[in-house]
Amino acid sequence: MVNKFTADILKLLVLIISSVIKGSSNGMKKLFILFLSTLIFVISFSSCSPQKDENELVIWHTMRPEETKVLQSQLVRFMKLNPGIKVHQLFKETEEMRSGFIVAAIGGQGPDLVYGPSDQIGPFEEMKIIKPLEEIFDEEFLSNFNEKGLIYRNGHLWQIADKLGNHLTLVYNKDLVPIPPKTDIELIEIGKKLSIDKNGDGRIDQYGLVWNYTEPYFFIPFLTGYGGWIFDSLAVPTLNSEAMVKGLKFIQSLRDKHKIIPNEADYNVADVLFKEGRAGMIINGDWSWASYGNAGINYGIAPLPIITETGLHCSPMISPKGFSININLDSSKTEKAKLLIEYLMKPENQLEASKAAKTFPTRKELYDDPFIQDDPILTNSRLQIELGTPLPIVTEMRAIWDAMRPSYQAVLGGSITPEKAAAQMQKSAIKKIEELREDFQDPVSGLIIQIMFLLAAAITLFLMRKSIVAFFVNIKKDGFAYLLAMPAVLVMVAVIFYPFFYNIVLSFSNMNLSHINDWTIVGFYQYVKVFQEPQFYEIFLKTILWTSANIFFHVTIGVFLALLLNKNLPGTPLFRTLLILPWAVPQYIVALTWRGMFNYEYGSINLILVKFLSMSPVEWLKSPFEAFVAVIITNVWLGFPFMMIIALGALQSIPAELYEAADIDGAKWYHKLKNITIPLIKPVMIPAITLGVIWTFNNLNVVWLVSNAGEPSDSTHILVSYVYKAAFNMYRYGYAAAFSVILFLILLAFGLTFLRKTKATESVY
Amino acid sequence: MKKNLFINISVYLVLILFTLIALYPILNVFTISIRPDDKLLSTDLSIIPDKATFRQYVELFTNRPFLLWTWNSLIVSATVTFTGVVLASTAGYALSRYKFVGKQASMLGLLTTQMFPATMLLLPMYIMLIKLELLNSYLGIIIIYSATALPFCVWQMKGYYDTIPHSLEESARIDGCTKWQSFYKIILPLASPALVITALFSFMTAWSEYIVAAQVLQDTSLYTLPLGLKSFESNMSTEWGLYAAASLIVSIPVVILFVILSKWLVSGLTLGSVKG
C-alpha cells in the first residue's frame, strides 16, 4: 500500500526522468532505469511497513526489561480480548523518550500513549502535548487509586500511574551486613569495619558503602536528612541552605575522613562493586534490586538511615510512573487508549508486575493483598515510600538538576568548598529558571528582521544578476553538466539546505518552552544572549584547544606512521590493515569502551599504569583537566587512521627519483623530509586538515559519550556539546539555533582563511 | 647494512606498538562479550577471562531479532551505497570537467554543509519528514543518509577525476563518443578506486548511524542494527555482554570491507589535489 503522496512523487519522478531519457544516450538510459528501479524497490519495501492505522496503538515507555516482559504478555492478552485493536510497545531511554515525544507530538504525530516517571508531565503539560484525563476516565474508576498515583497539575489530571516508587533505599549485602544501620552513626561504624584492604596492596578493595555519587538525584536523601529541600512553596529554589552545606560535608567526610566510600564512583562502578560483593551497602533505586538477586547477592532492603543531628530520616524522592495520552488522538482512538489503560490498571495486572519486578502498585485494594503485605522487600520498600518526598512535577526540576550537578561534582572533586557550592547552585538555578521562562516578544524588530531578510534576498539576486542571465544563456551549452550534478544537488538541498535555512529563521525567533508552536521572529535577541554568556568564551577557547590538539596528533601520528608504512618492508600491508581498524569500528561503540577504560577503579588504563609502569592511578574522569585529556586521547585514537591513509596516498605519488637524486647529493633524512616530502604531501594534506578541523570542531559523539555529557561539572564541553545540552535539556530552541549559526560562521571564517592562506583553493574549486 | 637492520627493527617495533594501541580497545569489547557475568567493568586484565563463554552470541542469534536488524541494515546501507555512488560519480564529474555558472558556489556549498552542527538539523528534518509522510519508512532514512554522505563523496570524486588527464576524453570525443559515452565508458572505469571509496563511505554512513534512525524509525520491525544495539541499553541496567557481542558483529562487515579495500583506500582517497 503505497500512500498517496509517495505515489504522486513517483509519478512526477517518472515524468521528469522519461523526458530526460528521451534526450540522452543509451548508457545514461540504462543507468537511470537502474536507479529508478532501485527507488521503486525501496519504496515498495518501505510501504510494507505497517502504516499508522485507526486500530493500532503505540506505547512508548521507559520500563526496564523485567517490567517490559510483563507489559508485553498483558498486551497479548488484551489483544486477544479485543481482536480489533493492535498494540505495540517500544522502549525508549528516559531522555530520548522525552525529547522524541515532544518533537513528534509538536509535529502532530508520536506514540498514542507515553509511559514514564511523573516529572515529564511538567513540560508535556506546558507544551500542551498530552490530554487531560479527567474528561476521559470516570470518577468511579479513578477512585480506586492511591491519590499519589493520580498526577494533577493546574486542575487537570495528566497521568495515571500504575507504580509508585522509583525511590532510593539502602540495599545491603546480608552476608556482610547482618543488621542494616538505622542512623548515620551506625552507618559509619559498620562502614569502617567493612572498608578494608584485603590483599594488602595499599588500596582499599572492599567498601562499606557505595552509590552513584556523580548524580544529584542520589544526593537528595542527604539534603532532606539535614532538613533541606530544593524549592520553597512558590517553586523558588532554596539550594543555598545550611542543610545543603551540611549534606555535602557529610558526604565529604564519608569519603575523606571515614574512608568508607570509594574515591570515584559513577552508577556502573557502584553497581559492579556491590554485585561483586565488594561493597557492604549500596544506595540504589527499586529498579536495581532484582539484578542484585540475579547476581547471587543475598540482599535486603532497609530505609535510608536517620541523621542523628536532626533526627530526620534521609528522605529520597519518590515518583509515580504511569500513562499519559497524546494530544493528537481523535475520539475513536482515545476510546481505545482508554480501554487499554483500564485493562492494564486492573488489580490483577498490577499485582503481576509487582511480583515480577518488586514494584509498588497504585490500586488501593491491593494494599491488603497477602503478597504485598508479606514480601520483605516490598514491605521495606513501602516503608521507604512513606518516608519519601514526592518529586515536584514542575518543569523547573530540570533547571535544578542542571544547576546542582556541576557544583556537586566540583565539591566531590575537591575544587570548591561546600559553602561555595551551595551558593553557586542557587545562583545557577535561578539563572537557568529565568532562561527557561524567558519570554521575549518584539514585533517591531521582528518586522525589521523580516524586511532585512527580503532586502538581503533582493540584493543577492541583484548581485547575481549576471550569473542568472549567464545561466539562462548557457543552459544549453552546460546542460550536460547540470544534468549530471542535478540529482545530487536536489537531494542535498532537500535534506541539508532546507533545514539549514529553517534553522537560520529559528535563530531569530523566540522558540522555547513557552513558545513551542507559536514562536515569532524577535530579532537578534538570541545572538545577544549567546555573546552575553560568559561561558561561551571559555568554551570557545576550549574548543580551539580541543580541535588543535586533536588535529596536531592526528596529523603527526598519521604522517609518521605513513612514512613508516611507505618503507614497504615485508608485512606492511598487514600493519596498514590493522592500523585502520579504529576508523572502521563504529564511533559510539568504542567511545563507550574508552569510557570504561578510563575508569579509576576498573579501567584498564589505570590497571596498566599501576601494574606495568608502577605509576599511581589517575582519576581520569573526576577532574576537569584529566577528563578533557581522556576525551582527546579517545578522539586521537579514532582519528589518526584517516590522516594516515591520506598521507600514505600522497607519499606513494611522490616519484622515487626525487629521493634518489637527493641521495646522490648527500642529503640527510631531515633534508629530504623538509625539502621533498612535506612540500609534496602538503597539497593533499591541506584539504584533509580542513575537513579534519571541521569534523573535530563539531564532534559531538566522542565528547558526549566519553565524558557522559560533559562531566565532571560540565567542564569537558566543547561548543557543540554545550549547545546540544542547551537545546534539548532546557528547550531553548531559538537560542540553540542562534548558537549553531555562530558555530557555523566561525568554521566558515576559518575554512575560507585557511584555504586562502595555504593557497589550496585552486584544488577546491 | 647493520644500520639498515637496526632501522628496520625499530620501524617494526614502532608499528607493533601502534598496532597494539589500535587493537586494544577493540579486544576489550571482545573480552566484555565473552565474560560469563555480563559486566562492563572488571579488574581482570586478561583478554580471555575465566570461564569465557559465547552464550551472548548464541542468545543474540536465537532469542533476539538480530538477523532481522541485520537484514534491515543491509537493505538501507545497500541502497544508500548505490545512490551515493551514482549521484557522487555524476556530480563529481560535472564539477571536475565543466565550467558552469554556480560551480564555485556548489563547491563551497559542499564544504559548508560539513560546518553546521548536524544534530541541530534534526528538528527541521523531522518536521519535514512528517509533512512528506516519510516517517517510519526506509525511504525517509535513505534520503537523509544519502544526503549526509554526499558532500564528502562528491568532493572526493571530483578530486580523483581531476587527476585523470582531460586528453583521454578529448581523444574519445574525436573517435566519435558522445559526452555521456566518454564519461561512462572511458573515465568512470578509470575512477574505480575512487568509486570504491565512495561506496565504502556511503555504506559506513548508513551502517552505523544511530541518532537520525532513532527519530525516524519508530516501528521495531524496521529497526536497523544500531537501534537494535541501543535496545540492550536501558536506563539503569544495560545488558553489557549482549551489547558488546552485538557491537563486534556490527563492526565485522565494516572491518571486512576496510580490509578488502585498504589497498584502494590509499590510492582512491585523494580529496582533490594531486595533479597528474
Side-chain angles (χ1 to χ4, degrees), chain A residues 551 642-643 686-696 750, chain B residues 111 114 152 155 271:
Chain A
I551 295 299
F642 177 75
M643 290 296 175
I686 295 291
I689 290 173
T690 317
L691 264 183
V693 168
I694 294 170
W695 286 341
T696 313
F750 159 80
Chain B
L111 190 64
Q114 306 291 302
F152 180 79
W155 215 32
L271 281 183

Side-chain angles (χ1 to χ4, degrees), chain A residues 56-362:
Chain A
E56 193 180 65
L57 291 173
V58 177
I59 307 175
W60 283 5
H61 64 84
T62 58
M63 294 186 191
R64 46 186 208 271
E66 58 268 30
E67 294 173 274
T68 309
K69 261 181 217 156
V70 175
L71 175 71
Q72 185 55 40
S73 68
Q74 290 175 354
L75 290 181
V76 170
R77 294 203 303 262
F78 175 77
M79 285 187 270
K80 264 194 197 138
L81 285 172
N82 303 277
I85 309 178
K86 267 194 282 176
V87 193
H88 291 281
Q89 52 90 9
L90 187 57
F91 168 81
K92 294 257 167 183
E93 195 262 328
T94 316
E95 290 301 295
E96 203 182 292
M97 184 174 91
R98 194 176 46 82
S99 56
F101 179 69
I102 290 172
V103 175
I106 291 169
Q109 299 252 327
D112 306 293
L113 295 161
V114 269
Y115 176 94
S118 59
D119 55 335
Q120 64 188 16
I121 297 305
F124 289 179
E125 186 244 356
E126 282 189 48
M127 293 176 184
K128 303 186 187 69
I129 52 177
I130 46 175
K131 285 192 185 226
L133 299 176
E134 78 281 358
E135 295 163 10
I136 300 169
F137 294 92
D138 51 55
E139 247 169 62
E140 201 199 316
F141 172 72
L142 296 177
S143 68
N144 293 319
F145 288 85
N146 180 337
E147 77 252 16
K148 281 184 188 153
L150 300 176
I151 315 305
Y152 281 91
R153 198 170 173 232
N154 295 333
H156 296 285
L157 176 66
W158 301 106
Q159 187 184 41
I160 300 179
D162 67 341
K163 286 159 196 157
L164 278 185
N166 227 11
H167 53 300
L168 301 171
T169 54
L170 189 71
V171 188
Y172 60 99
N173 184 336
K174 286 183 178 165
D175 298 336
L176 296 172
V177 183
I179 304 162
K182 288 210 170 52
T183 64
D184 52 348
I185 296 171
E186 284 175 39
L187 178 84
I188 293 168
E189 253 169 47
I190 297 177
K192 274 184 177 164
K193 270 183 219 146
L194 290 171
S195 303
I196 42 173
D197 174 13
K198 274 180 160 175
N199 58 8
D201 65 353
R203 289 173 71 185
I204 291 179
D205 38 33
Q206 176 180 296
Y207 295 96
L209 175 68
V210 290
W211 79 89
N212 172 13
Y213 63 71
T214 55
E215 254 316 300
Y217 183 77
F218 288 75
F219 171 71
I220 295 297
F222 299 98
L223 177 65
T224 50
Y226 280 97
W229 186 236
I230 46 176
F231 287 131
D232 63 15
S233 53
L234 294 169
V236 176
T238 53
L239 299 174
N240 190 9
S241 65
E242 206 177 316
M244 174 70 72
V245 175
K246 282 185 175 162
L248 290 172
K249 280 189 174 157
F250 181 68
I251 293 182
Q252 268 186 334
S253 75
L254 288 184
R255 190 186 62 188
D256 302 336
K257 191 171 150 212
H258 308 298
K259 295 193 171 35
I260 66 167
I261 60 177
N263 253 339
E264 184 185 308
D266 63 5
Y267 189 87
N268 277 314
V269 175
D271 199 51
V272 170
L273 281 169
F274 191 73
K275 276 184 184 161
E276 285 184 342
R278 289 176 56 201
M281 297 168 276
I282 184 171
I283 298 175
N284 211 344
D286 56 358
W287 58 82
S288 64
W289 303 339
S291 70
Y292 297 138
N294 296 340
I297 297 290
N298 180 16
Y299 75 101
I301 304 292
L304 293 166
I306 295 172
I307 301 287
T308 324
E309 188 190 321
T310 57
L312 293 170
H313 274 277
C314 286
S315 160
M317 282 188 167
I318 50 168
S319 73
K321 286 167 92 176
F323 290 97
S324 303
I325 298 182
N326 189 330
I327 192 82
N328 299 309
L329 259 57
D330 59 21
S331 58
S332 113
K333 261 199 148 178
T334 309
E335 230 9 74
K336 287 171 187 125
K338 178 187 174 192
L339 216 61
L340 177 63
I341 291 182
E342 280 173 353
Y343 179 79
L344 293 174
M345 292 290 170
K346 283 188 175 194
E348 61 270 27
N349 287 334
Q350 283 205 357
L351 191 63
E352 188 186 3
S354 292
K355 283 181 180 167
K358 303 278 182 207
T359 51
F360 199 73
T362 53

Side-chain angles (χ1 to χ4, degrees), chain A residues 619-640:
Chain A
E619 292 178 329
W620 288 104
L621 301 173
K622 209 179 79 183
S623 19
F625 177 74
E626 279 85 352
F628 198 54
V629 172
V631 183
I632 291 178
I633 291 178
T634 309
N635 200 48
V636 167
W637 182 86
L638 279 164
F640 79 84

